[in-house]
Amino acid sequence: MVEGYPRELTQNPLRKIWMPCKNGHIAHRRVCMTNCPTLIVTVGLPARGKTYISKKLTRYLNWIGVPTKEFNVGQYRRECLKIYKSFEFFRPDNEEGLKIRRQCALSALNDVRQYLSVEGGQVAVFDATNTTRDRRRTIIMFAEQNGYRVFFVESVCEDPEVIAQNIVQVKLGNPDYIDCNSDEAIKDFMKRIKCYESSYQPLDEVLDRDLSYIKIMDVGRRYLVNRVVDHVQSRIVYYLMNIHITPRSIYLCRHGESDLNIKGRIGGDSGLSDRGKEFAKRLRNFLQEQNIKNLKVWTSQMKRTIQTAEILGVSYEQWKSLNEIDAGVCEEMMYEEIQERYPLEFALRDQDKYRYRYPKGESYEDLVQRLEPVIMELERQENVLVICHQAVLRCLLAYFLDKTADELPYLKCPLHTVLKLTPVAYGNFFLSSLFQNVNVQRSTEDALQTVPAHF
Amino acid sequence: MAARHQRPVAASDSSARTNEKKCSWASYMTNSPTMIVMIGLPARGKTYMSKKLTRYLNWIGVPTKVFNLGVYRRNAVKSYKSYDFFRHDNKEAMEIRKKFAIVALADVKTYLSEEGGQIAVFDATNTTRERRELILNFAKDNAYKVFFVESVCDDPDVIAENIMDVKVSSPDYPERDRESVMGDFLKRIECYKVTYQPLDPDEHDKNLSFIQVINVGRSFLVNRVQDYIQSKIVYYLMNIHVHSHSIYLCRHGESHHNMEGRIGGDSELSERGKEFAAALKRFVKEHKLSDLKVWTSQLRRTIQTAEELGIPYEQWKILNEIDAGVCEEMTYKMIEEKYPEEYAMRDQDKYHYRYPGGESYQDLVQRLEPVIMELERQANVLVICHQAVMRCLLAYFLDKGADDLPFLKCPLHTVLKLTPVAYGCKVDVFDLGVEAVNTHRDRPLNKGQTDAIPAFLRRNSFTPLSSQDQIKRPRLYSVGNPSHTRMSQAPTLPSMQFSEASEGSETVQSENSLNGFTGADTDDCVEFKNRST
């Protein structure tokens, strides 16, 4: 076999991962999901949710550790055109328009190549209508030349209500229609859609049987999945089949203050302090006032979250995966003690708080993997209140607010604060933080100031 | 993970813990059971999917059982004569066949409504709308959800191979030769084709929940998934394949802790452990395993073992050994001395027992689910892991229940080769001939078979969780296999008794005898077909 085997092992002091001494070739599970990069290509008429899907998918893949970026051809067109006049630009007989649109697509593909082949990206989401077989063929050839796998995501919807709502929600606020009133905008947009309809060639069960794709019909009522070839595609399909657009709210909070909190100690499994119980009572009143429809309540399997839920007097479910980050040998210590007893560890943690793994414990990175099923189930659900812990809350919040690994471990998640997430356009969320009984609308930035490294 | 306690759990804490669970159980009890109804012509892989799905669902903790109509038919009509029985104009036979369906549905009802089953897989052709109407009405009357799984296949090679693989050895054809079997079976299929009404997603069946599996998983049509469990079923069916492949399971080489009798920790390989790694390298070479993927945990001992192989490998944190919490790196004797209560509790219910600040086998299963899913997707894989982890994985492949899982024999320096065969899995055991300590502890002889639920037993929440749409019901016992260790009333502790009998198996496990498992041997453990290199 290969010379130099077996190699000596050393443990990376920050991540606590055993590696061969000389820059070994170890593939860490999440980073190496596929061998070649993947190009996800959306397909569909305007106002079918392609950008919604693109953005959400990108956010999810990045959160689970797959470097992903979306490329919205509409953006390229806006940059090129500067001013949008009317739907006439999209008429199939508008030579000038066709030329510009084609150029924009190619420009975007160029950037895709830069991202996937040069910058180390893993997945690129090419968000455009891509409604003709011809355009798709161009993309497939491009992918073949560069060694990318292609996966199509087509959204098909004929429900006029859904389409109308889509237009109202996202198109009216679009830079294209900044100077129009709503009626004008809607009319123009409908005509725009018409321009595409005549040349639309949906993915076909027979003609496109060798392509890998998922066809989403009627906002998720039905799916047609063809030729899923690898792990990342399988995960994408599973994710797409679990998301929905029904309006709902997600409430996130930590357990009430615990005895160990008071002592300034991390981890452990202590019960609520008196103030913690007080918080739980106020939370109960808050929930009763809000009268949230069919609210599900989830807790971890640690005493402090369960006690908090018990005071609410509603039924709840316990998830072991929602347990706080395991601080290993540092469990139940104060930060000052850790600094004293394990100064090296303390320093390493500040170096890269996301990847840092406590000795015999976990890292934020491990947490994210552990929480993935929770996120998947949150996507399936409607109104949910999750009572959890600081590090866990940071991970969940990072998913909903698209925070990077660098930002995640510093997200501010104080005790006795309920965070309410309401979906807005394009799969994003609006965050409001609620202090006990007081509704305080704060900007995302404000609510999530970074905290001194000490905490 | 929970904190490491400095002291073992005191008696007063456990009652609080008992109360912890009660509230969440309430939400579980209101969910409806589900019927999975297979649809398809003969030799379309319905029974294959039924069994595999059932095995998976039981493994993740959802009590599931298969009801195979062919078995009911064979029990009543003693000897099968020919395909004439299946002709659609054979009125008498049609009447008989309808009766079986009704008897089977009655059994489904008993399982779901009285015995605490969660999912019943109704494995039959169900090719006519009339039959499906019957089932839908039945489900409606009993408030069961229905999810259809239709297998559509028009590739003649796949069908022929299917027939040869499983039908030839079916009890219906005990003495015939292959050609006449093939002939008769193909005619049987023709009988069904006449009246086959596939699901129609556009009109007639557009409001039903179903998945159409097309050409053995090349494509899928999924309609109206209602809930969490249906979503998991779809995901699972989309990840399994029928290509032949083998999965090799082994533990790391013997470690220093092993030699000292200590559990857990992160020690290095002993000399003998290193010898094993070298033997493993020879093994891989001898077996000419092409494109072999190698997976390890993130503990030193598995990585050291893999390093010796000289081929690339992937580290999975979720393959790490079970976390023994406060008992990490102790010997069993030390545990018995320091934490006698914990020690006793573990013997009482090894599957559900969670170490303080650590994990249980049940937690392990949840943790390992992504590994199983990925193993299903892959081709040849060698997994170098640990004793408890290997037991969990093995239990999935060999359909072992919670009672047997923690006692499966997974000795050091032994490689198990698992190959899918017909409806199950063949196990080949390769003892690589390097000495090692024995880390196996047998099932204790007087295991607590008390009727009263012990108050100290630590509760664990079932996973994966959620919502109004999935209940984890306590599984009391299954028809045909009443357990003598449990009471018939619903216990507060969910019992994870899995059905041992392979009801609904269409073929007799004759020479295709899957697991190579005979009845329990003296130490109540699983016996393998042994083969050393």
Side-chain angles (χ1 to χ4, degrees):
Chain A
M1 294 253 176
V2 184
E3 210 184 85
Y5 282 92
R7 303 169 287 193
E8 284 302 307
L9 292 183
T10 54
Q11 190 180 50
N12 170 301
L14 194 133
R15 308 185 65 175
K16 311 295 187 299
I17 292 185
W18 291 101
M19 301 180 316
C21 277
K22 301 173 187 157
N23 298 330
H25 304 290
I26 295 183
H28 291 296
R29 184 63 210 148
R30 226 155 329 106
V31 174
C32 183
M33 273 198 182
T34 63
N35 298 325
C36 46
T38 302
L39 178 58
I40 298 176
V41 181
T42 61
V43 179
L45 294 172
R48 267 32 178 205
K50 298 183 297 299
T51 304
Y52 175 85
I53 290 169
S54 302
K55 287 186 179 270
K56 235 176 130 80
L57 199 46
T58 302
R59 179 161 55 84
Y60 167 71
L61 289 171
N62 277 315
W63 186 76
I64 62 172
V66 181
T68 307
K69 193 164 164 192
E70 34 140 359
F71 298 82
N72 178 292
V73 176
Q75 279 294 99
Y76 285 76
R77 190 255 309 154
R78 269 185 282 277
E79 259 150 54
C80 180
L81 263 200
K82 298 304 172 208
I83 300 182
Y84 174 76
K85 294 210 179 59
S86 81
F87 77 95
E88 306 266 354
F89 178 78
F90 291 97
R91 288 178 58 142
D93 54 1
N94 181 344
E95 290 289 333
E96 183 66 27
L98 283 172
K99 200 164 131 212
I100 295 180
R101 286 156 69 193
R102 192 175 160 74
Q103 240 163 358
C104 290
L106 290 176
S107 174
L109 282 180
N110 227 0
D111 287 352
V112 163
R113 185 200 338 229
Q114 176 74 9
Y115 178 66
L116 293 181
S117 299
V118 177
E119 293 173 17
Q122 186 83 57
V123 178
V125 184
F126 190 70
D127 177 18
T129 48
N130 299 317
T131 38
T132 60
R133 198 152 276 129
D134 199 47
R135 168 60 54 84
R136 299 197 287 268
R137 202 169 302 131
T138 309
I139 300 172
I140 293 172
M141 279 183 350
F142 162 82
E144 262 167 37
Q145 276 162 10
N146 290 284
Y148 308 149
R149 283 206 186 126
V150 182
F151 187 72
F152 291 97
V153 177
E154 179 174 26
S155 174
V156 175
C157 181
E158 292 314 316
D159 186 340
E161 266 181 50
V162 173
I163 299 169
Q165 196 179 76
N166 204 333
I167 297 177
V168 168
Q169 263 184 9
V170 292
K171 302 304 179 187
L172 294 190
N174 190 294
D176 287 345
Y177 295 108
I178 217 161
D179 292 320
C180 303
N181 72 44
S182 322
D183 280 336
E184 282 171 6
I186 294 178
K187 264 207 201 101
D188 185 278
F189 202 83
M190 296 301 269
K191 291 207 188 102
R192 195 151 111 178
I193 298 179
K194 271 250 155 344
C195 295
Y196 283 91
E197 271 176 8
S198 51
S199 57
Y200 182 22
Q201 293 164 304
L203 290 172
D204 182 79
E205 276 183 60
V206 177
L207 293 173
D208 297 308
R209 64 176 173 274
D210 288 332
L211 300 181
S212 297
Y213 66 82
I214 177 171
K215 193 192 273 256
I216 304 172
M217 294 172 265
D218 292 328
V219 207
R221 186 160 303 166
R222 188 186 311 173
Y223 305 91
L224 179 63
V225 179
N226 198 58
R227 288 194 186 262
V228 167
V229 299
D230 63 23
H231 180 98
V232 101
Q233 289 180 13
S234 144
R235 294 287 287 272
I236 289 167
V237 163
Y238 186 45
Y239 181 72
L240 292 177
M241 285 176 42
N242 280 320
I243 61 180
H244 66 79
I245 58 169
T246 313
R248 46 84 174 250
S249 296
I250 296 172
Y251 300 82
L252 305 173
C253 71
R254 290 168 66 186
H255 51 83
E257 183 191 67
S258 71
D259 289 325
L260 282 181
N261 283 142
I262 295 182
K263 296 182 186 150
R265 294 181 179 279
I266 65 173
D269 195 15
S270 55
L272 294 180
S273 67
D274 287 328
R275 287 201 294 211
K277 291 180 187 158
E278 189 54 37
F279 164 71
K281 288 191 196 128
R282 292 188 190 231
L283 184 59
R284 179 184 61 202
N285 295 339
F286 168 75
L287 290 179
Q288 277 166 0
E289 272 169 35
Q290 295 284 301
N291 201 13
I292 304 157
K293 186 177 116 165
N294 283 345
L295 180 73
K296 297 262 160 61
V297 177
W298 296 354
T299 70
S300 70
Q301 282 189 354
M302 296 179 136
K303 209 193 307 195
R304 48 200 188 277
T305 56
I306 297 172
Q307 279 184 334
T308 309
E310 278 286 329
I311 292 176
L312 298 183
V314 297
S315 63
Y316 58 90
E317 275 186 48
Q318 299 179 16
W319 293 69
K320 185 170 194 277
S321 341
L322 283 173
N323 280 5
E324 180 59 313
I325 192 171
D326 183 357
V329 302
C330 301
E331 277 283 320
E332 302 200 43
M333 292 175 72
M334 299 194 293
Y335 281 111
E336 288 78 8
E337 282 172 358
I338 301 175
Q339 193 167 30
E340 222 183 274
R341 220 187 294 181
Y342 303 104
L344 179 61
E345 293 296 326
F346 197 76
L348 286 172
R349 187 157 205 250
D350 278 344
Q351 240 176 49
D352 187 349
K353 200 173 173 192
Y354 183 73
R355 281 168 203 87
Y356 169 80
R357 188 186 280 170
Y358 281 104
K360 300 195 181 168
E362 295 176 302
S363 62
Y364 273 98
E365 195 176 18
D366 295 328
L367 253 197
V368 161
Q369 184 181 29
R370 180 163 40 99
L371 287 169
E372 204 253 343
V374 177
I375 287 295
M376 197 63 87
E377 193 51 26
L378 275 173
E379 285 294 347
R380 291 193 51 80
Q381 288 293 336
E382 297 187 9
N383 292 323
V384 186
L385 164 66
V386 183
I387 304 172
C388 53
H389 307 266
Q390 182 169 250
V392 169
L393 188 42
R394 285 171 167 158
C395 293
L396 297 179
L397 214 50
Y399 166 75
F400 288 109
L401 302 178
D402 203 14
K403 296 294 171 188
T404 63
D406 287 335
E407 297 166 310
L408 187 161
Y410 298 101
L411 296 177
K412 204 167 184 184
C413 300
L415 286 168
H416 301 181
T417 307
V418 177
L419 301 174
K420 177 179 178 181
L421 294 164
T422 330
V424 292
Y426 293 133
N428 297 321
F429 282 88
F430 174 71
L431 173 78
S432 49
S433 86
L434 314 160
F435 290 92
Q436 298 155 354
N437 282 348
V438 179
N439 260 2
V440 176
Q441 305 287 20
R442 303 207 297 195
S443 72
T444 312
E445 271 59 41
D446 216 23
L448 300 171
Q449 265 170 24
T450 57
V451 233
H454 187 80
F455 296 108
Chain B
M1 279 175 255
R4 283 150 215 230
H5 297 284
Q6 304 306 330
R7 50 168 181 79
V9 174
S12 53
D13 288 8
S14 49
S15 56
R17 210 170 269 115
T18 323
N19 283 335
E20 278 157 27
K21 272 308 292 172
K22 276 196 197 145
C23 207
S24 52
W25 273 103
S27 63
Y28 295 169
M29 291 311 186
T30 55
N31 305 332
S32 26
T34 304
M35 275 187 74
I36 299 176
V37 181
M38 308 301 295
I39 303 176
L41 295 172
R44 276 9 184 215
K46 298 183 299 297
T47 303
Y48 175 81
M49 282 193 285
S50 303
K51 285 177 179 265
K52 226 172 140 81
L53 198 47
T54 301
R55 179 160 56 88
Y56 167 71
L57 291 169
N58 277 316
W59 187 75
I60 63 171
V62 182
T64 308
K65 191 167 159 189
V66 179
F67 296 83
N68 176 289
L69 215 50
V71 170
Y72 284 81
R73 193 247 313 150
R74 267 188 285 281
N75 284 342
V77 178
K78 284 309 166 196
S79 75
Y80 173 73
K81 300 225 168 42
S82 83
Y83 76 95
D84 281 323
F85 183 81
F86 292 96
R87 291 174 58 138
H88 73 283
D89 50 2
N90 182 341
K91 280 222 158 44
E92 192 187 312
M94 293 291 265
E95 273 310 305
I96 297 179
R97 289 161 69 195
K98 185 166 177 192
K99 265 206 198 92
F100 299 139
I102 296 182
V103 170
L105 287 178
D107 285 351
V108 164
K109 182 169 172 180
T110 308
Y111 178 65
L112 294 180
S113 299
E114 293 164 36
E115 293 173 5
Q118 175 82 49
I119 299 189
V121 181
F122 194 66
D123 178 19
T125 49
N126 298 317
T127 40
T128 60
R129 285 188 184 158
E130 193 197 325
R131 173 56 56 84
R132 299 197 288 268
E133 221 25 68
L134 176 77
I135 298 172
L136 283 167
N137 290 335
F138 162 82
K140 195 163 166 213
D141 290 339
N142 291 286
Y144 302 150
K145 286 186 182 165
V146 180
F147 187 72
F148 292 97
V149 177
E150 179 171 25
S151 174
V152 176
C153 182
D154 50 23
D155 184 337
D157 289 333
V158 172
I159 297 170
E161 200 180 297
N162 207 331
I163 297 177
M164 290 317 289
D165 269 351
V166 291
K167 305 302 180 188
V168 168
S169 53
S170 156
D172 283 342
Y173 301 104
E175 279 133 31
R176 311 257 198 104
D177 66 277
R178 295 188 152 195
E179 285 208 6
S180 62
V181 167
M182 180 71 86
D184 184 280
F185 204 84
L186 287 173
K187 290 209 190 88
R188 196 150 109 176
I189 298 179
E190 291 305 313
C191 294
Y192 280 93
K193 269 192 186 165
V194 177
T195 50
Y196 183 20
Q197 292 163 301
L199 287 176
D200 173 24
D202 296 316
E203 274 310 313
H204 188 268
D205 300 306
K206 64 176 187 266
N207 289 325
L208 298 182
S209 297
F210 63 83
I211 179 173
Q212 266 181 336
V213 178
I214 302 159
N215 280 332
V216 205
R218 183 160 312 160
S219 52
F220 303 88
L221 181 70
V222 180
N223 199 58
R224 290 192 184 260
V225 168
Q226 296 170 9
D227 59 24
Y228 170 79
I229 201 69
Q230 290 179 14
S231 142
K232 295 259 331 177
I233 289 166
V234 163
Y235 186 45
Y236 183 72
L237 289 176
M238 284 174 48
N239 280 319
I240 61 181
H241 66 76
V242 293
H243 306 126
S244 81
H245 64 138
S246 292
I247 293 167
Y248 298 80
L249 300 180
C250 73
R251 289 167 67 186
H252 51 83
E254 184 192 66
S255 70
H256 289 305
H257 271 17
N258 286 143
M259 286 187 5
E260 291 167 31
R262 291 178 183 277
I263 65 173
D266 194 13
S267 56
E268 291 190 70
L269 294 182
S270 66
E271 281 311 308
R272 296 194 297 199
K274 291 180 188 161
E275 266 180 62
F276 165 71
L280 188 61
K281 178 173 167 179
R282 288 191 295 274
F283 175 84
V284 167
K285 208 162 168 198
E286 274 166 21
H287 283 245
K288 297 195 182 59
L289 303 172
S290 64
D291 276 342
L292 180 73
K293 296 253 166 73
V294 179
W295 297 351
T296 69
S297 70
Q298 282 189 351
L299 294 172
R300 209 188 325 198
R301 48 198 189 276
T302 56
I303 300 172
Q304 275 185 324
T305 310
E307 274 288 321
E308 179 69 36
L309 300 180
I311 52 183
Y313 56 90
E314 269 185 61
Q315 297 183 15
W316 296 62
K317 184 172 194 275
I318 50 183
L319 282 173
N320 279 9
E321 181 59 312
I322 192 172
D323 183 358
V326 300
C327 301
E328 276 282 316
E329 308 201 58
M330 295 172 73
T331 63
Y332 284 113
K333 188 139 179 282
M334 285 162 71
I335 301 174
E336 194 178 4
E337 274 163 29
K338 196 166 181 206
Y339 303 111
E341 272 168 13
E342 296 292 327
Y343 191 79
M345 274 201 275
R346 188 157 204 254
D347 277 345
Q348 253 172 21
D349 187 349
K350 199 172 172 191
Y351 183 80
H352 293 99
Y353 171 81
R354 187 187 278 170
Y355 282 104
E359 294 174 303
S360 62
Y361 272 98
Q362 190 184 21
D363 295 328
L364 253 197
V365 163
Q366 185 197 9
R367 211 210 302 148
L368 288 168
E369 213 220 315
V371 175
I372 288 295
M373 201 61 89
E374 194 52 24
L375 279 173
E376 284 295 345
R377 292 193 53 82
Q378 291 287 342
N380 294 326
V381 186
L382 164 63
V383 184
I384 304 173
C385 54
H386 306 266
Q387 183 167 249
V389 169
M390 191 163 157
R391 284 172 170 157
C392 292
L393 298 178
L394 204 55
Y396 165 75
F397 287 107
L398 302 181
D399 203 13
K400 293 296 161 189
D403 271 357
D404 292 330
L405 187 161
F407 299 102
L408 294 177
K409 267 193 173 133
C410 297
L412 285 166
H413 300 182
T414 307
V415 180
L416 296 186
K417 175 182 176 183
L418 301 165
T419 321
V421 156
Y423 296 136
C425 219
K426 183 171 74 132
V427 191
D428 291 313
V429 179
F430 297 93
D431 178 346
L432 297 198
V434 179
E435 288 268 324
V437 298
N438 177 14
T439 59
H440 184 87
R441 291 179 70 235
D442 288 330
R443 201 189 295 262
L445 290 171
N446 37 342
K447 178 174 147 169
Q449 305 223 334
T450 55
D451 284 345
I453 307 299
F456 293 168
L457 194 59
R458 186 167 291 114
R459 294 290 188 273
N460 296 305
S461 175
F462 274 77
T463 52
L465 290 334
S466 122
S467 69
Q468 68 187 80
D469 43 40
Q470 187 197 8
I471 343 167
K472 284 123 210 130
R473 298 264 205 83
R475 219 177 153 188
L476 304 181
Y477 60 86
S478 52
V479 165
N481 194 24
S483 164
H484 50 280
T485 59
R486 300 280 172 182
M487 303 195 293
S488 51
Q489 75 190 49
T492 52
L493 171 68
S495 75
M496 294 275 294
Q497 290 235 321
F498 298 150
S499 147
E500 292 302 332
S502 48
E503 269 109 351
S505 56
E506 212 177 286
T507 57
V508 163
Q509 329 305 30
S510 51
E511 81 281 355
N512 273 343
S513 176
L514 342 200
N515 314 351
F517 287 100
T518 55
D521 61 14
T522 47
D523 17 3
D524 232 344
C525 294
V526 173
E527 192 183 3
F528 297 152
K529 227 171 38 185
N530 228 301
R531 250 171 58 183
S532 29
T533 43

